[in-house]
Amino acid sequence: WVGAPGGHLTKAQWQEFGRLGFLGISLPRELGGQGLGLLGALILSEAATRLGDLGISLGLHCQTEITAGWLATAHDPELRDRYLPGMISGQLVGCACDTEPGHAINRGMESTAVHDGGELVVHARKMYVVNGANADLCFVTLKADGESATVLVEKERPGVQVLKVFDKLGTRSIDSAMIDFDHVRVPAANLSTKRGVRQLMQWNKVMTAARFLMCADACFLHGRLLARMLDYGGKRTIEGRTLAGWPVNRHALARAAADQEMMQAGLLDCFELLEANRNAVAEVAALKWFCVDRTSRFAALCSELHGGAGYMWGSEFLAGLAQILGLKQAGGSLTTMKSIAGQALAYREELEALG
């Protein structure tokens, strides 16, 4: 997974995940899932982060919490029943197509779906799509009749093309791709969620669950880096004093320990909000910013404290830094998280009235 481009998970491995019951773990049993809810997804996420590449966790979040989550709530039961079993078994892989090329940012969303009889004609280009190369089902965020919507596009349809699979620093076990949708025709029923404000609320719901698990991924990684650095810093001696014993390093480790406690407390608070079906958009966005930012800073410090070894690929500290950088963008950048948190807090009363 680290050695070369193209080392990401294969279809056969996704099917193995399905056979082991790792896909759909949080979805209700009546829909074919394991029925373990967010707690089950959290436990799986903790186990997956121990594998050394956060791409596996990221891919699982995208498969179950985001794309299968969207499908589970699709307004057309036939669409759900046709595809959800395959996603839970691993026979089908889903991807969420949100980010547009940089030139489109200042002009607003350019991706569109236009009604033509009983069909939708989709025109879009999406970047950095997690699971994009492997995916069979693309959930494309776009404008339909002037409103934000999500349309399911089967990748086998004419006009869908993977233009590029990106080479990445970290999270290399999962692919990230650029996908082009050139006037792709799909049935109008493939409009997988209600449009407008309700679509926004549903998008917030599935993305908040996925972001919560990314917070946990960062927290688990931070905890392992802290434990390893405490061990390493207590053994390495510089000028008669342990590395961790120097005041500047001792203070840095104390701050990291405090950050770890705050991450864990934040996870518990957000978990309780989500389990109570409360609006936690602001809290989870703020927590993702905090967990990923603090873990990034600490991983960089650990690489420096590891000396020359900290800049070699064999260093677990450098590997940790490479992994956490992927979470800086996944699910929304850290700048986006601060913006979402601020906006959600400002409009909380209206959001709760809608949801």
Side-chain angles (χ1 to χ4, degrees), residues 260-301:
Q260 184 69 28
E261 293 294 328
M262 287 189 283
M263 288 182 201
Q264 293 173 178
L267 284 172
L268 180 58
D269 287 346
C270 288
F271 178 80
E272 291 177 346
L273 285 173
L274 292 169
E275 284 292 280
N277 205 27
R278 297 275 303 280
N279 187 323
V281 173
E283 287 81 0
V284 171
L287 184 63
K288 180 177 182 284
W289 166 79
F290 180 79
C291 291
V292 175
D293 178 75
R294 291 300 189 271
T295 303
S296 298
R297 293 170 184 265
F298 186 59
L301 175 65

Side-chain angles (χ1 to χ4, degrees), residues 145-332:
D145 297 331
E147 295 181 305
S148 180
T150 301
V151 173
L152 189 160
V153 179
E154 298 90 343
K155 195 194 278 184
E156 64 185 11
R157 290 187 176 274
V160 181
Q161 182 180 5
V162 176
L163 297 180
K164 182 177 183 179
V165 179
F166 294 97
D167 191 11
K168 301 185 291 182
L169 177 64
T171 64
R172 295 173 67 88
S173 60
I174 204 73
D175 71 81
S176 294
M178 179 194 301
I179 307 179
D180 190 56
F181 303 88
D182 186 11
H183 296 89
V184 182
R185 289 184 171 270
V186 300
N190 281 24
L191 190 70
S192 61
T193 60
K194 294 180 180 178
R195 294 178 294 169
V197 174
R198 291 297 177 185
Q199 194 274 343
L200 177 62
M201 295 300 297
Q202 177 61 20
W203 186 86
N204 275 332
K205 183 176 181 180
V206 298
M207 288 305 300
T208 295
R211 286 170 182 153
F212 171 77
L213 294 173
M214 293 176 201
C215 296
D217 295 337
C219 177
F220 298 144
L221 175 59
H222 187 278
R224 287 199 304 278
L225 291 174
L226 178 59
R228 181 68 184 92
M229 181 49 67
L230 287 171
D231 179 68
Y232 174 78
K235 293 177 179 177
R236 184 180 179 187
T237 301
I238 300 176
E239 298 182 5
R241 180 184 293 183
T242 63
L243 181 66
W246 288 84
V248 64
N249 296 333
R250 187 166 64 242
H251 297 165
L253 291 171
R255 285 194 298 271
D259 285 343
Q260 184 69 28
E261 293 294 328
M262 287 189 283
M263 288 182 201
Q264 293 173 178
L267 284 172
L268 180 58
D269 287 346
C270 288
F271 178 80
E272 291 177 346
L273 285 173
L274 292 169
E275 284 292 280
N277 205 27
R278 297 275 303 280
N279 187 323
V281 173
E283 287 81 0
V284 171
L287 184 63
K288 180 177 182 284
W289 166 79
F290 180 79
C291 291
V292 175
D293 178 75
R294 291 300 189 271
T295 303
S296 298
R297 293 170 184 265
F298 186 59
L301 175 65
C302 288
S303 292
E304 293 183 10
L305 293 177
H306 204 197
Y311 293 91
M312 306 299 155
W313 274 122
S315 168
E316 60 189 291
F317 300 120
L318 183 61
L321 178 59
Q323 299 313 309
I324 197 61
L325 291 177
L327 290 191
K328 276 193 166 186
Q329 302 302 322

Side-chain angles (χ1 to χ4, degrees), residues 197-198 201 278-279 344 347-355:
V197 174
R198 291 297 177 185
M201 295 300 297
R278 297 275 303 280
N279 187 323
Y347 297 108
R348 164 149 290 169
E349 186 174 336
E350 290 91 336
L351 288 171
E352 289 181 345
L354 289 168

